[in-house]
Amino acid sequence: MKSNLSKQILASILCIVCGFVVGLIVMLFITITNENLDFSNFLLGIRYLFSGPFSSSSLVTIKRNLGNMIFYIVPLIMTGLSVALAYKTGLFNIGAAGQFLMGSMGSLLVALNIDCSDNRGLGILVWLLAIIVGLICGALWGAIPGIFKAFFDINEVVVCIMTNWIAANIVTWVFSTQSHLINIPEGKSAYLIKTGGLGTFTPTFGLDKLLPNSYIDGGIFIAILIAAFIFVIMSKTKFGFELKACGANKSAARYAGMNEKKNIVFAMAIAGALSAIGGSLYYLNSGIELQYGSVYANLPDYGFNGIPAALLANCDPIGVIFSATFLRYISASGSRLQLAGFNSYIAAVISSVIIYFSGFSRLFLELLSKKKKKDEVLVINDIDVGEKDKIPINDENKEGEK
Amino acid sequence: MENLILILQKTLIYAIPLLIVALGGVFAERSGVINLALEGEMIFGAFIGAIFVYLLQKNEIWLEKPQLTFIFALIISATSGALYSLLLSLSAIKLKADQTIGGTALNMLAPAIVNTFGLVFFLQEKINMPYTFRGYAIINTELPGFLRIFFDKAYISTYIIIAVFIILSIWLYKSRVGTHLRSCGEHPQAADSVGINVKGMRYLGTTISGALAGLGGYAYIATVANGTAEATIGGMGFLALAIMIFGNWSPVGIVVGALMFGFLKCIGAVSSSIDFFANIGLPSYFYNIIPYVVVLIVLVLFRKKSGCPKAEGIPYDKGQR
């Protein structure tokens, strides 16, 4: 079992190496075709690419970049968990963007309407209330595709895509009627005010002192706790087992006496709540403002980026923490790449290639184990011929699924 | 009356890319591969098509033949969409990877490529095509009534895509190869047992799917998006996926879905300029929501046995025969 885990990690590393190789090829190509760049830019680019937020020479910048990176991980963990939980139940939650928005809306309506600027204690209570309201909004919104799937047998993908755009329009509509929440003094149009001035922002637990000038707040602790909570639910409780059973084989789950309709609705509601908390934690930060005016035409990236975060982690709740961190680390590298004369989108090329290769991580696994088995067979040397025939692919797959 | 004709003209323009990309989805899924990458294929195909137009314009080739440029750009876009989809085929069919992962990766890769190489070669994340290269093929303001929907202010892409849609739909259902292709999405083991090359059929289905997505992508940027090729296509690929499911994986259903959705979408877009809607006083967001809500309602009211191909998403394993 242990060697299986190490093989899986090795396979993941292989995927990552492939991604970076492609990224380096792209960078080399750009270096050659662009006369303003030379080989020293290429070397600098490589340095920036691997060092992520740590690539600056000044400690102040490193701390700021690191803090921002950690803050941006939070919504990605949440939408990743949302997609992962639905996936385990056999549902493809492509509606994380809408749930994310509904959660943001619910939370902001609470947090921005109550001014606690002179009483931080009350502000934290309002913040908690805001999170809960956002969570409920997201859960109800996420339950819609679940209800359609469970009771009308309508594919969740189509309902998720529709509800995404409905949510986006609702958010812009609702905030366009809330003129007192709009940030006019700073001369911006279509932006909401920040929670920072109202005292209803996410507690920072001193992290802002540790990594000053960044967006970092306590959201990262909350996200990790929730990931652990989902891990426990999925692997240690009867409910989690039912969800997984439902995902593995719906008919078998029903035959075993599980209420698969209830499970589908609950799974989608929880998935919705998770995405919603992601949105809430993102916008309840003291320095983040929602540009409500453009929401109706652009779904937030976090909704869709949850899909690769979940898939890269093989839909394991704890793994999502690491995959989200990894994806944000590469993005942080990307924004540094500009300083070397490249553009930040190379990071997106790299992460998408890594996701692409992660699809064959099973193949890598097979290759790794085949090679090993071959060695074993050589040592045993025809003593047990039957063993050789037992190697086929299916066996390996079952091992992987345990 | 004048307004209605205007709305119907817009509806057609909006529905055309949706229609052909959704048919692309049908080809992939009927052969047994979930093509989540429609969005990425649209973006990639449209971008390459726009580069082609840019190069022609820069080298002053065919300047006096804008419609010919349009047709060739459509062909180039379709070809590059097909080539891009080979990445999906490679992972989903040859290497038996999870098709959701492959599709998601391609959806991420296409905007990344457009942004990266757009910045490198054009110093911006998008390419703008001048109007002359994507203008109307026919202008007939004199035509009576509803004939104008099809023969006035119409793009050449509209006629090409309608023709391709009809031919490919008939081919998928009436030809020998089309029937073989569909059988691979329903029961690949049975198809294999009668000598059909399952993997070959799946390659064919996915490649046609990519070509149609590329075609629709270029039609979209040239008509609906006013000639701007960039890293986003406004969720049209996912919308096409939704229309495909809405149309129950059948061409006729897709036509109904795309036209209905397009019509409602266009009403929303023009709601502020039509007195009747302006007098009601609801904000445009209300009309924006209507098409999505109606799709959900129609799905519930007219739900029937799902036409979803039974073997879609499952890599073909000969051993399970």
Side-chain angles (χ1 to χ4, degrees), chain B residues 295-309:
Chain B
V295 165
L296 293 181
I297 293 172
V298 171
L299 276 172
V300 173
L301 290 182
F302 296 94
R303 69 179 190 277
K304 49 190 170 203
K305 206 172 165 294
S306 171
C308 177

Side-chain angles (χ1 to χ4, degrees), chain A residues 26 29-30 33-34 87 92 94 144 148 151-155 157-159 161-163 165-166 169-170 172-173 176 292-293 296-298 304-305 307-308 311-312 327 343-346 348-353 355-360 363 393-394, chain B residues 36 86-88 90-91 95-98 100-102 104-106 108-109 111-113 115-117 119-121 125 234-235 238-239 241-243 245-246 249 261 282-286 288-289 291-293 295-297 299-300 303 306 308 312 317:
Chain A
V26 171
F29 175 77
I30 293 174
T33 50
N34 190 333
Y87 210 81
F92 187 47
I94 202 167
I144 296 174
F148 272 74
F151 296 102
F152 304 121
D153 196 25
I154 293 169
N155 193 307
V157 173
V158 57
V159 183
I161 293 170
M162 296 297 139
T163 49
W165 289 105
I166 297 173
N169 276 287
I170 288 178
T172 307
W173 187 0
S176 65
Y292 75 93
Y296 79 98
N298 301 299
F304 291 106
N305 290 344
I307 299 171
L311 294 178
L312 197 58
L327 289 173
N343 60 63
S344 61
Y345 301 109
I346 291 169
V349 173
I350 293 172
S351 44
S352 49
V353 171
I355 306 280
Y356 182 74
F357 279 101
S358 76
F360 340 132
L363 193 85
I393 307 159
N394 282 341
Chain B
L36 206 63
L86 285 178
L87 283 173
L88 178 69
L90 181 74
S91 97
L95 300 175
K96 294 179 186 172
D98 186 317
T100 320
I101 300 183
T104 305
L106 289 196
M108 292 167 70
L109 185 61
I113 289 175
N115 281 330
T116 304
F117 291 100
L119 272 180
V120 170
F121 294 114
E125 286 104 324
F238 288 114
L239 212 54
L241 203 66
I243 294 291
I245 300 170
F246 178 84
W249 288 266
F261 188 87
L282 280 165
S284 62
Y285 310 114
F286 175 77
N288 290 346
I289 289 172
Y292 306 103
V293 175
V295 165
L296 293 181
I297 293 172
L299 276 172
V300 173
R303 69 179 190 277
S306 171
C308 177
E312 72 163 20
D317 182 3

Side-chain angles (χ1 to χ4, degrees), chain A residues 67-375:
Chain A
N68 285 342
M69 186 189 98
I70 294 172
F71 170 68
Y72 291 128
I73 292 170
V74 174
L76 200 54
I77 292 179
M78 297 313 300
T79 51
L81 284 174
S82 165
V83 175
L85 185 128
Y87 210 81
K88 286 269 184 196
T89 320
L91 300 159
F92 187 47
N93 181 17
I94 202 167
Q99 297 147 9
F100 181 91
L101 284 174
M102 291 312 265
S104 311
M105 187 183 81
S107 292
L108 285 177
L109 281 178
V110 173
L112 298 183
N113 272 314
I114 304 173
D115 189 350
C116 303
S117 46
D118 45 1
N119 186 347
R120 179 65 180 138
L122 186 66
I124 289 182
L125 283 181
V126 173
W127 170 82
L128 197 63
L129 180 71
I131 293 274
I132 291 168
V133 170
L135 184 153
I136 292 169
C137 286
L140 292 176
W141 199 253
I144 296 174
I147 290 166
F148 272 74
K149 172 84 175 180
F151 296 102
F152 304 121
D153 196 25
I154 293 169
N155 193 307
E156 75 279 8
V157 173
V158 57
V159 183
C160 280
I161 293 170
M162 296 297 139
T163 49
N164 273 347
W165 289 105
I166 297 173
N169 276 287
I170 288 178
V171 168
T172 307
W173 187 0
V174 165
F175 284 118
S176 65
T177 62
Q178 305 279 311
S179 53
H180 60 289
L181 300 183
I182 294 168
N183 191 356
I184 293 162
E186 284 181 36
K188 286 175 173 171
S189 64
Y191 275 94
L192 293 185
I193 49 177
K194 301 173 194 170
T195 52
L198 298 169
T200 52
F201 50 88
T202 313
T204 56
F205 302 117
L207 286 173
D208 57 331
K209 304 274 188 308
L210 203 64
L211 300 168
N213 298 324
S214 70
Y215 289 122
I216 193 163
D217 61 21
I220 186 72
F221 296 131
I222 299 168
I224 291 173
L225 277 179
I226 292 174
F229 179 65
I230 296 294
F231 172 77
V232 171
I233 285 191
M234 289 308 278
S235 51
K236 306 284 176 207
T237 67
K238 181 167 157 267
F239 176 65
F241 179 76
E242 284 197 7
L243 290 189
K244 280 189 289 186
C246 192
N249 190 334
K250 217 159 87 171
S251 316
R254 192 191 308 135
Y255 186 69
M258 298 170 191
N259 184 348
E260 102 273 15
K261 289 187 176 170
K262 188 197 80 182
N263 285 340
I264 287 174
V265 176
F266 271 113
M268 280 310 290
I270 297 173
L274 290 169
S275 291
I277 296 175
S280 305
L281 286 176
Y282 185 70
Y283 287 110
L284 288 177
N285 181 279
S286 55
I288 298 286
E289 50 197 341
L290 172 65
Q291 194 193 6
Y292 75 93
S294 65
V295 165
Y296 79 98
N298 301 299
L299 294 173
D301 287 341
Y302 280 112
F304 291 106
N305 290 344
I307 299 171
L311 294 178
L312 197 58
N314 206 9
C315 293
D316 178 82
I318 301 297
V320 168
I321 301 174
F322 294 102
S323 65
T325 308
F326 177 71
L327 289 173
R328 288 309 315 183
Y329 186 90
I330 297 180
S331 299
S333 306
S335 45
R336 302 290 297 169
L337 271 180
Q338 283 166 311
L339 300 176
F342 297 95
N343 60 63
S344 61
Y345 301 109
I346 291 169
V349 173
I350 293 172
S351 44
S352 49
V353 171
I354 291 172
I355 306 280
Y356 182 74
F357 279 101
S358 76
F360 340 132
S361 62
R362 183 172 281 175
L363 193 85
F364 285 138
L365 264 175
E366 276 164 27
L367 286 177
L368 287 173
S369 30
K370 256 186 200 155
K371 192 165 165 270
K372 210 175 162 200
K373 291 246 164 114
K374 219 182 245 170
D375 294 346

